[in-house]
Amino acid sequence: MAAPILRCARAGRCWSLGSRPRRTRALFAEPVPGRVREQSSAALQEPRPGAHEWAAVVGLEIHAQISSNSKLFSGSQVSFLAPPNSSVSFFDASLPGTLPVLNRRCVKAAVMTGLALNCTVNKKSLFDRKHYFYADLPAGYQITQQRLPIAVNGCLTYSLSVGAHWSPSATKTVRIKQIQLEQDSGKSLHDDTRSQTLIDLNRAGVGLMEVVMEPDMSCGAEAATAVRELQLILRALGTSQANMAEGQLRVDANVSVHHPGEPLGVRTEVKNLNSIRFLAKAIDYEIQRQIEELRNGGKILNETRAFDEKLGCTVSMRDKEGKQDYRFMPEPNLPPLILYDAESLPTAADPQQVVNIDWIRERLPELPSVTRGRLVEQYGILPEHSFALLNEDGLLEFFQTVMKETRAEPKKVIGWILSTFLGYLKQRNLAVSESPISPSSLAELLSLVDSKVISLPAAKQVFEELWQNQGKTTGQIIQEKKLELLQNQEELEEICQAVLAEHPQEVMAVKKGNQKVVNKLIGMVRRATEGRADPIRIKQILEKQLQ
Amino acid sequence: MLGLSLREVSAALKQGQVSPMELCQKCLSLIKETKFLNAYITVEEERALKQAEESEKRYEKGQALGILDGIPIAVKDNFSTAGIETTCASNMLKGYIPPYNATVVQKLLDQGAVLLGKTNLDEFAMGSGSTDGIFGPVRNPWSYSKQYREKKKQSHHRADEDSDWLITGGSSGGSAAAVSAFTCFAALGSDTGGSTRNPAALCGLVGLKPTYGLISRYGLIPLVNSMDVPGILTRCVEDAAIVLGILAGHDPKDSTTAQDPVGPFTLPILRDVGKLCIGIPKEYSAPGLSSEVQAFWSKAADLFASKGAKVVEVSLPHTSYSIVCYHVLCTAEVASNMARFDGLEYGHRCNVNVSTEAMYAATRREGFNDVVRGRILSGNFFLLKENYDDYFVKAQKVRRLIANDFVKVFNSGVDVLLTPTTLSNAVPYLEFIKEDNRTRSARDDIFTQSVNMAGLPAVNVPMALSSQGLPIGLQLIGRAFSDQQLLTVAKWFEEQVQFPVIQLQELMDSCQTFSQHKKLASVSLKR
Amino acid sequence: MWRRTLRAALRAGLSPGTTGAVAEARAARVGSSRFAGSDSGKAEGPSPGGRVSAELIEHLERLALVDFRNREGVARLQAAIEFAGQLRAVDTDGVVPMESVLEDRCLYLRADDVVEDSCVEALLQNSQWTVEEYFVAPPGNITLPKQSEQDPVTES
């Protein structure tokens, strides 16, 4: 699925104009003048007199499934789409007497993610039990880290685009409150015909990282961009595949509205957001809903709402009457998790039993923000190009492969990739991986343009043909369609001469000073050459001949 | 033969004086004949005989696995045993057949031990009498001993055989009765607040509670995860050490086991008692302590002193709060551990199907007895957000104070503490049930449960018979991971006091079970 | 000599012997089955949750999915709460809560290997109700009816 390119002005209506009672203003870049009217919270604007301004506050709780072979506390396989209950250990099924044993890989993943998000990694963290009854929670409690999670106090920086183009003039930061390790629950499949629920525990016990983002965001677009950036980071680290459609990344949003300068409003929790696009939509809907509710004199309930994709709105989930109390208790079967750094590393340590934060930090893979910077430097492309390259799954690799195999300039290649290639993909709703044109083919085509074997318009034609994927190579198509540029200077001069001879009036006009007619003559020559002549050369020849 | 120690019978097996099959059959017969004790919930006759047969083959080839090969043992019914019903004496798990063996069970089986069956307990190990399980109460074999009967006649009590029987103590009463009545040579119990030491004292056995973290709890259906340990019940200290040696060690399946290497647990003879420092905690002179137990306690202290040991009074100032502290922490963990019993994946399931919650509630109502349900509710109360700090965290703080009391005492040069194990000898069942479970537990666990809170090793050693002819035992408590030293002292003490063997001759004779060995019980324990 | 002290303690009549004024006030209470509320100098006003309200009962029953069944159950809880109230008498200023005796140990880490094969038959075998290879639960988590809507509380 192609990821949407997020445009603040179009996708989200950003509500908070004017000051917000938040400390994060200092982190926001100064807005580009003239374009900020609809940008969220970037400017310190006075509320327009008479207008009843609203500010929205959005926080996120994100659950990312850890990419590991086995589960967080047991040795059963982390599988997707396995037959029901086929990768469930005795511990996952909560058989009495079974005990949790922590997976080292999950710890490492959490540390990597924490470091990438600029968190403080706690050298000592603890596990707790969170109690509630649900059919997909066999033990009647979830093991999580409530008191002392593995990482705290980080931040994530993301860039919003303004207007129609990708010009990341607004850099935002959202604070990461904490990252904690916890168990995933099983899956319930509701069978309404037989009035029963089928329980599959394959997912029960899979390791999750819960990333809590503070309510520093103010609209759907901001939240969506932040989540997108987190996705890119997780994928770059390899700690989670973070695919929302497959449930590897789940986002719950906490939304509230208030008048600028007044205290924060009651918040609702919005769940069941299965894609970045729905995430933005749901949040914006909920903001709007709350504003209207309050405008009409109603109250906002502290409740949980689900996003209904079909209706495009949030619906109140049937809430439990009476309050929920998770009765957190320390997990007695897991002693404290101790992490080390270069200084505190015990000398005779078993490497299997030791997780060294410094060692991990030194080997952290390149993060998206660094990648973008590197691309700009390496290829001389614009920053917004690098954003666009990373924003589409597989596009960066595609670009880099093309660059390796072509002699064309990066700037030219980027243009092709971001407008023509991407355009074709979007039109047909395809992912990069589904492209009928391989990077090698495109590389070849661009090389031919660069060496002036064919003209740009001809290349576009070839591209179209290649896309139809009829098995023909670039060379074959060019030959068939007779698209090669006429290189022969004499031949060209002859044709030009002929055209001039046939159109004495136009010649006269040019000699009288009408330059526009030159283009007409160029056009005629082009037609005469069946488009196989480079317009620039035609112009040169004609100009010479017209003197 | 059945009255021998582990070491002795193992030697007999090796020398061919008896075969594993014979031994197994004898034990199985005796189990049948002593069925009225209600010590066993499940007897695995076929399986046991098969194991015995395999053991026999190994002995014939001279390839015995070790000292436990061919030795009949029993396991408390809260340990998971693959393919064998494990009920915890609760309706909730009636019919539940675990697909795996607890690590301790596996270790015993790997050594060739013959598992005779699963023993009776209080439901989910909650209780101090082994009277509150769905399979009924366990009877103390001493109720039928010559020693007890004679004393009763002397005091002109009606020798009402059937209704006046005594409790075993609990919650590992089934295991205690099984060992005490010679149906097996060792049994596994569990100890959370004294559940192994208490019945050991009342049944005249050695009951060892090892250091927390020494033995794997994987497969032990938990009561209080932060205090439970598998317990070992045997007829002499050395047997307990042998079993400990097999069971101790890191288990990668249990994150609460110590990763450092442990052992060995062979017990040297304690030669220099003079180097020992015995501590007598003054706060353990609790109300309710019978004068007889006090006297024996005093006598024991005397004994140590007379052999040159330094015997000092020490103080464990927070002893009086240990019951309350235990009460809060125990019920809170119970509330949590019992949350998994909902009927969905295993165990009892009710017929209600209106909604998941209704189904869970009905299943739990039908599956748990009052004791369990009461503790779940209390525990949940203490874990409520508004109560958590006042009760649970407070209790955790008191726990630290209690544990620190012990640390201070051991740091002051004391090697081993000497205390009573129980308030008195075993009482008749009818008297016992007059009070409710929690009251009893709170009272009976007083000498034993602070040890669980501190995670220390402790052992009950039977000392002598009371004026009623019933066993009185004393408890020795050691430093964490000093189990070997503790047992060394215990072995010396055992040798000094020469606790008499239970005389169940009349019982045996009337059963007429043995073809060859009629006069069992008068064999004294040889070294 | 320890002997004299022990005998003295025994003769003194079974007091727990804890030091301090506070402890003396509690002397008679150890091990007894009387659960009087705390009244020592350290009491901080009425005990939280001292009385078991109907609201609390319902709240606990819902959270624990275990019912009190009858008045005896409620009385039991009341007694348990009062009993636990005795903890307030202990001075725990500056004491760090002890979660487990293992607090100085490090958590054992397992390698990320798949060591458990599919054991679906073994798992399903113990369940009373399965459909194909799924466990079966009733529909949804519909909340239990309120107390008033249930059957009246029965005497034991």
Side-chain angles (χ1 to χ4, degrees):
Chain A
M1 263 299 293
I5 298 174
L6 296 156
R7 308 217 181 283
C8 183
R10 242 190 273 155
R13 279 154 285 155
C14 295
W15 315 101
S16 79
L17 305 168
S19 61
R20 276 195 310 169
R22 295 247 125 226
R23 287 153 288 162
T24 53
R25 219 180 297 129
L27 298 166
F28 296 161
E30 282 307 297
V32 171
R35 269 190 157 190
V36 296
R37 232 175 7 97
E38 286 151 336
Q39 189 178 355
S40 71
S41 70
L44 243 182
Q45 289 187 1
E46 292 302 313
R48 281 170 277 158
H52 216 196
E53 297 301 337
W54 290 95
V57 167
V58 180
L60 299 176
E61 275 166 29
I62 302 165
H63 290 91
Q65 244 182 30
I66 299 175
S67 189
S68 64
N69 295 330
S70 59
K71 296 184 181 177
L72 184 59
F73 293 117
S74 69
S76 44
Q77 190 171 28
V78 174
S79 59
F80 185 65
L81 296 180
N85 290 312
S86 64
S87 50
V88 180
S89 67
F90 300 143
F91 172 76
D92 303 327
S94 81
L95 290 198
T98 51
L99 299 169
V101 186
L102 184 56
N103 182 339
R104 188 194 149 76
R105 156 74 185 152
C106 294
V107 177
K108 200 161 165 236
V111 173
M112 285 171 76
T113 307
L115 291 173
L117 293 176
N118 305 299
C119 294
T120 305
V121 176
N122 282 330
K123 292 228 195 82
K124 175 170 160 179
S125 61
L126 305 169
F127 288 96
D128 305 290
R129 292 184 181 178
K130 176 181 180 182
H131 299 88
Y132 63 95
F133 285 106
Y134 209 82
D136 61 16
L137 195 67
Y141 60 83
Q142 176 201 37
I143 301 180
T144 176
Q145 293 187 299
Q146 190 242 5
R147 286 165 298 156
L148 200 53
I150 193 166
V152 291
N153 296 335
C155 64
L156 172 88
T157 306
Y158 59 98
S159 293
L160 280 182
S161 72
V162 180
H165 298 291
W166 257 105
S167 54
S169 49
T171 305
K172 308 257 175 187
T173 306
V174 56
R175 289 168 299 157
I176 305 287
K177 178 168 184 229
Q178 64 191 50
I179 299 177
Q180 63 201 54
L181 283 168
E182 56 184 43
Q183 291 174 304
D184 206 346
S185 62
K187 276 203 183 129
S188 327
L189 292 93
H190 299 286
D191 180 359
D192 291 321
T193 50
R194 256 159 285 180
S195 203
Q196 60 192 22
T197 306
L198 302 178
I199 307 291
D200 174 13
L201 296 177
N202 280 344
R203 200 183 67 176
V206 170
L208 293 178
M209 290 180 287
E210 177 173 331
V211 179
V212 181
M213 289 189 181
E214 299 273 28
D216 295 342
M217 296 159 282
S218 59
C219 65
E222 285 186 7
T225 314
V227 171
R228 178 61 183 150
E229 186 67 13
L230 178 66
Q231 238 183 357
L232 295 175
I233 291 174
L234 291 172
R235 288 181 188 159
L237 292 174
T239 53
S240 171
Q241 286 165 42
N243 191 327
M244 280 183 90
E246 287 175 16
Q248 292 159 339
L249 193 74
R250 284 165 247 156
V251 183
D252 298 332
N254 292 310
V255 181
S256 75
V257 299
H258 65 282
H259 292 301
E262 287 180 14
L264 299 185
V266 175
R267 65 165 195 215
T268 61
E269 192 187 7
V270 183
K271 293 178 99 80
N272 194 32
L273 305 164
N274 300 332
S275 74
I276 303 243
R277 190 161 55 94
F278 288 147
L279 171 66
K281 210 168 162 195
I283 290 173
D284 289 335
Y285 173 86
E286 179 60 19
I287 293 171
Q288 178 71 44
R289 183 193 76 85
Q290 289 193 9
I291 289 177
E292 277 173 16
E293 181 72 33
L294 291 173
R295 272 209 189 117
N296 294 335
K299 274 200 332 179
I300 305 296
L301 297 170
N302 181 354
E303 59 174 352
T304 305
R305 300 178 72 85
F307 180 64
D308 186 322
E309 298 172 24
K310 297 197 192 86
L311 300 176
C313 64
T314 60
V315 199
S316 180
M317 287 172 79
R318 190 169 40 190
D319 218 6
K320 289 190 173 201
E321 292 165 51
K323 42 192 175 129
Q324 175 62 282
D325 186 336
Y326 293 116
R327 292 146 290 145
F328 288 99
M329 187 187 94
E331 169 57 71
N333 292 317
L334 294 172
L337 172 61
I338 308 289
L339 303 175
Y340 300 92
D341 54 24
E343 256 182 49
S344 63
L345 201 59
T347 39
D350 176 0
Q352 274 305 303
Q353 288 304 311
V354 160
V355 174
N356 184 341
I357 302 170
D358 288 335
W359 192 92
I360 294 174
R361 185 186 283 116
E362 284 159 23
R363 287 159 184 75
L364 222 49
E366 189 178 75
L367 295 179
S369 49
V370 175
T371 307
R372 288 183 200 116
R374 183 171 58 74
L375 290 172
V376 167
E377 237 198 82
Q378 186 178 349
Y379 297 110
I381 55 179
L382 295 176
E384 60 251 43
H385 294 156
S386 70
F387 269 95
L389 277 179
L390 258 66
N391 210 39
E392 188 67 34
D393 296 330
L395 194 59
L396 175 61
E397 290 73 42
F398 195 93
F399 169 73
Q400 286 176 316
T401 312
V402 171
M403 281 313 304
K404 254 195 258 178
E405 299 181 18
T406 194
R407 40 174 294 180
E409 273 178 13
K411 289 206 171 90
K412 293 262 160 67
V413 177
I414 261 289
W416 270 87
I417 296 247
L418 291 183
S419 41
T420 314
F421 181 60
L422 202 56
Y424 265 73
L425 287 175
K426 293 267 174 255
Q427 244 186 354
R428 293 150 183 79
N429 215 12
L430 294 172
V432 172
S433 52
E434 295 166 311
S435 158
I437 297 184
S438 71
S440 306
S441 301
L442 185 58
E444 197 189 344
L445 183 61
L446 295 181
S447 296
L448 292 174
V449 174
D450 185 72
S451 49
K452 296 211 185 305
V453 171
I454 54 173
S455 69
L456 197 54
K460 293 257 165 79
Q461 227 182 314
V462 176
F463 187 89
E464 170 71 44
E465 288 286 332
L466 283 173
W467 194 277
Q468 303 309 331
N469 201 15
Q470 285 159 357
K472 299 193 196 133
T473 65
T474 313
Q476 283 172 327
I477 299 172
I478 290 176
Q479 235 184 2
E480 274 179 28
K481 304 269 176 176
K482 295 207 214 308
L483 293 170
E484 312 97 344
L485 282 175
L486 263 180
Q487 303 286 13
N488 194 318
Q489 185 74 2
E490 279 180 18
E491 228 184 300
L492 270 174
E493 285 177 359
E494 274 178 35
I495 296 174
C496 287
Q497 210 48 38
V499 166
L500 286 179
E502 285 169 17
H503 298 91
Q505 283 153 328
E506 282 78 359
V507 176
M508 282 288 246
V510 173
K511 289 201 172 150
K512 280 196 186 147
N514 189 345
Q515 285 303 310
K516 277 199 204 150
V517 182
V518 178
N519 291 337
K520 196 172 168 196
L521 288 169
I522 295 174
M524 286 180 204
V525 174
R526 285 192 68 201
R527 276 196 293 279
T529 61
E530 291 172 318
R532 292 168 61 200
D534 183 8
I536 298 169
R537 283 182 71 178
I538 297 174
K539 192 169 180 206
Q540 282 173 343
I541 296 173
L542 280 176
E543 280 174 353
K544 218 163 104 186
Q545 291 176 344
L546 283 168
Q547 278 162 2
Chain B
M1 182 61 57
L2 296 186
L4 296 180
S5 75
L6 243 169
R7 187 176 289 286
E8 287 167 345
V9 77
S10 187
L13 283 171
K14 218 165 175 189
Q15 290 157 23
Q17 288 168 21
V18 66
S19 76
M21 286 289 281
E22 281 176 322
L23 202 54
C24 182
Q25 274 152 353
K26 276 202 218 311
C27 289
L28 288 171
S29 300
L30 189 53
I31 292 174
K32 283 199 192 101
E33 299 306 333
T34 53
K35 205 161 171 197
F36 57 89
L37 292 176
N38 203 16
Y40 286 83
I41 295 175
T42 305
V43 180
E44 284 281 312
E45 194 164 323
E46 256 182 61
R47 201 184 283 250
L49 287 169
K50 190 150 176 280
Q51 286 169 9
E53 196 180 8
E54 283 164 16
S55 172
E56 198 157 300
K57 289 192 191 126
R58 289 192 290 268
Y59 273 106
E60 278 163 15
K61 288 192 202 149
Q63 287 172 357
L65 293 168
I67 196 170
L68 272 194
D69 204 335
I71 308 279
I73 52 144
V75 164
K76 188 174 179 182
D77 206 18
N78 59 355
F79 284 92
S80 291
T81 41
I84 303 176
E85 189 184 11
T86 300
T87 66
C88 295
S90 174
N91 273 320
M92 189 57 89
L93 288 179
K94 209 163 169 194
Y96 168 63
I97 301 182
Y100 72 100
N101 275 326
T103 299
V104 289
V105 171
Q106 191 62 53
K107 283 187 170 180
L108 291 172
L109 294 176
D110 287 344
Q111 286 289 308
V114 174
L115 178 58
L116 294 174
K118 310 297 289 297
T119 57
N120 204 350
L121 59 155
D122 284 303
E123 180 161 337
F124 279 110
M126 294 186 211
S128 60
S130 304
T131 54
D132 284 329
I134 57 166
F135 297 103
V138 184
R139 299 190 184 194
N140 193 329
W142 283 86
S143 318
Y144 306 95
S145 67
K146 189 171 173 196
Q147 291 109 324
Y148 178 61
R149 289 281 167 82
E150 280 183 352
K151 290 287 165 119
K152 260 179 85 179
K153 280 190 206 137
Q154 280 170 15
S155 51
H156 305 292
H157 275 144
R158 265 175 48 245
D160 197 334
E161 309 211 348
D162 235 29
S163 70
D164 228 11
W165 53 269
L166 311 158
I167 56 153
T168 49
S171 59
S172 310
S175 284
V179 175
S180 175
F182 303 107
T183 63
C184 61
F185 290 86
L188 287 185
S190 65
D191 196 308
T192 307
S195 296
T196 291
R197 293 160 283 157
N198 177 298
L202 301 187
C203 295
L205 299 173
V206 171
L208 171 64
K209 175 216 166 291
T211 306
Y212 184 86
L214 189 59
I215 297 189
S216 171
R217 290 183 297 113
Y218 180 77
L220 168 59
I221 297 174
L223 176 59
V224 182
N225 282 294
S226 65
M227 300 189 209
D228 289 347
V229 286
I232 300 170
L233 289 151
T234 54
R235 290 192 287 270
C236 67
V237 174
E238 180 150 21
D239 289 356
I242 291 171
V243 178
L244 180 63
I246 288 165
L247 299 183
H250 174 61
D251 182 9
K253 291 189 188 146
D254 179 352
S255 305
T256 59
T257 49
Q259 293 177 47
D260 314 310
V262 295
F265 294 98
T266 41
L267 304 181
I269 298 177
L270 185 65
R271 294 196 191 285
D272 207 348
V273 185
K275 286 212 180 112
L276 220 51
C277 177
I278 307 289
I280 309 283
K282 61 184 185 187
E283 293 86 359
Y284 277 52
S285 306
L289 182 61
S290 79
S291 49
E292 274 199 286
V293 177
Q294 284 168 27
F296 281 120
W297 186 21
S298 174
K299 199 168 161 192
D302 269 344
L303 175 62
F304 276 104
S306 72
K307 298 293 180 178
K310 188 166 159 211
V311 182
V312 294
E313 185 191 71
V314 296
S315 176
L316 298 170
H318 297 92
T319 302
S320 55
Y321 303 109
S322 64
I323 306 176
V324 189
C325 181
Y326 179 78
H327 162 71
V328 173
L329 295 177
C330 173
T331 51
E333 278 221 35
V334 164
S336 178
N337 290 332
M338 297 296 146
R340 65 185 59 210
F341 295 107
D342 53 30
L344 204 57
E345 287 87 17
Y346 48 82
H348 173 68
R349 179 177 180 147
C350 66
N351 287 326
V352 172
N353 260 316
V354 172
S355 72
T356 306
E357 281 202 1
M359 188 276 261
Y360 280 13
T363 297
R364 292 157 73 79
R365 187 187 314 132
E366 290 168 20
F368 294 137
N369 71 6
D370 281 350
V371 178
V372 177
R373 282 171 38 255
R375 292 205 194 182
I376 292 174
L377 289 165
S378 305
N380 272 293
F381 174 82
F382 298 131
L383 289 176
L384 290 178
K385 243 186 306 224
E386 59 263 28
N387 295 331
Y388 185 75
D389 284 326
D390 290 328
Y391 291 94
F392 190 81
V393 177
K394 182 79 178 183
Q396 286 186 319
K397 291 182 180 177
V398 177
R399 182 176 181 177
R400 183 175 297 283
L401 291 174
I402 293 171
N404 283 349
D405 281 356
F406 282 103
V407 170
K408 278 188 209 137
V409 162
F410 285 121
N411 281 348
S412 70
V414 171
D415 295 303
V416 162
L417 294 169
L418 174 68
T419 78
T421 311
T422 52
L423 292 166
S424 69
N425 56 213
V427 299
Y429 172 71
L430 291 176
E431 205 181 292
F432 185 75
I433 55 171
K434 284 183 188 157
E435 285 173 307
D436 75 276
N437 182 295
R438 194 168 54 80
T439 316
R440 284 185 253 124
S441 300
R443 188 193 53 224
D444 298 338
D445 287 347
I446 184 184
F447 300 120
T448 48
Q449 29 92 321
S450 40
V451 166
N452 294 83
M453 281 205 278
L456 302 172
V459 61
N460 172 79
V461 185
M463 183 170 169
L465 295 181
S466 67
S467 56
Q468 288 180 57
L470 295 173
I472 302 269
L474 291 181
Q475 174 177 236
L476 292 166
I477 306 171
R479 254 188 221 96
F481 293 99
S482 72
D483 303 62
Q484 194 222 16
Q485 184 196 38
L486 179 70
L487 288 176
T488 306
V489 176
K491 184 171 158 191
W492 178 88
F493 181 71
E494 171 188 67
E495 206 153 336
Q496 298 296 313
V497 299
Q498 293 284 314
F499 179 77
V501 180
I502 182 175
Q503 287 173 24
L504 292 173
Q505 251 165 312
E506 286 169 16
L507 183 68
M508 298 311 156
D509 287 345
S510 70
C511 290
Q512 291 179 355
T513 49
F514 305 101
S515 48
Q516 298 157 339
H517 307 272
K518 292 242 161 109
K519 293 200 175 137
L520 308 155
S522 50
V523 172
S524 62
L525 293 172
K526 298 198 194 89
R527 282 285 159 270
Chain C
M1 266 310 286
W2 70 268
R3 238 170 164 182
R4 259 178 267 136
T5 356
L6 178 58
R7 277 210 216 103
L10 295 175
R11 254 185 281 124
L14 321 169
S15 83
T18 48
T19 52
V22 169
E24 250 129 66
R26 315 215 96 23
R29 240 168 280 227
V30 174
S32 81
S33 51
R34 289 170 287 134
F35 312 116
S38 66
D39 59 357
S40 80
K42 275 241 158 192
E44 290 143 271
S47 49
R51 266 200 61 238
V52 179
S53 64
E55 198 183 62
L56 176 67
I57 291 174
E58 198 173 317
H59 188 46
L60 284 177
E61 284 190 338
R62 174 163 286 118
L63 288 178
L65 286 186
V66 161
D67 62 341
F68 282 82
R69 189 177 283 180
N70 51 38
R71 286 196 205 114
E72 203 182 75
V74 178
R76 209 179 283 135
L77 176 66
Q78 180 81 59
I81 297 171
E82 281 175 14
F83 186 53
Q86 289 178 36
L87 281 178
R88 250 173 285 123
V90 189
D91 180 6
T92 53
D93 270 339
V95 179
V96 176
M98 175 183 241
E99 272 159 34
S100 145
V101 296
L102 304 168
E103 55 195 7
D104 295 328
R105 301 274 175 74
C106 300
L107 189 41
Y108 174 77
L109 296 174
R110 174 179 63 84
D112 186 24
D113 299 320
V114 175
V115 292
E116 313 261 1
D117 289 325
S118 169
C119 50
V120 57
E121 294 95 27
L123 287 176
L124 295 175
Q125 235 168 43
N126 270 305
S127 177
Q128 305 264 352
W129 192 3
T130 59
V131 162
E132 288 167 22
E133 279 159 345
Y134 292 94
F135 296 106
V136 183
N141 261 28
I142 305 165
T143 44
L144 293 173
K146 275 190 164 354
Q147 190 109 55
S148 50
E149 300 161 23
Q150 276 173 327
D151 296 326
V153 158
T154 49
E155 290 289 78
S156 60

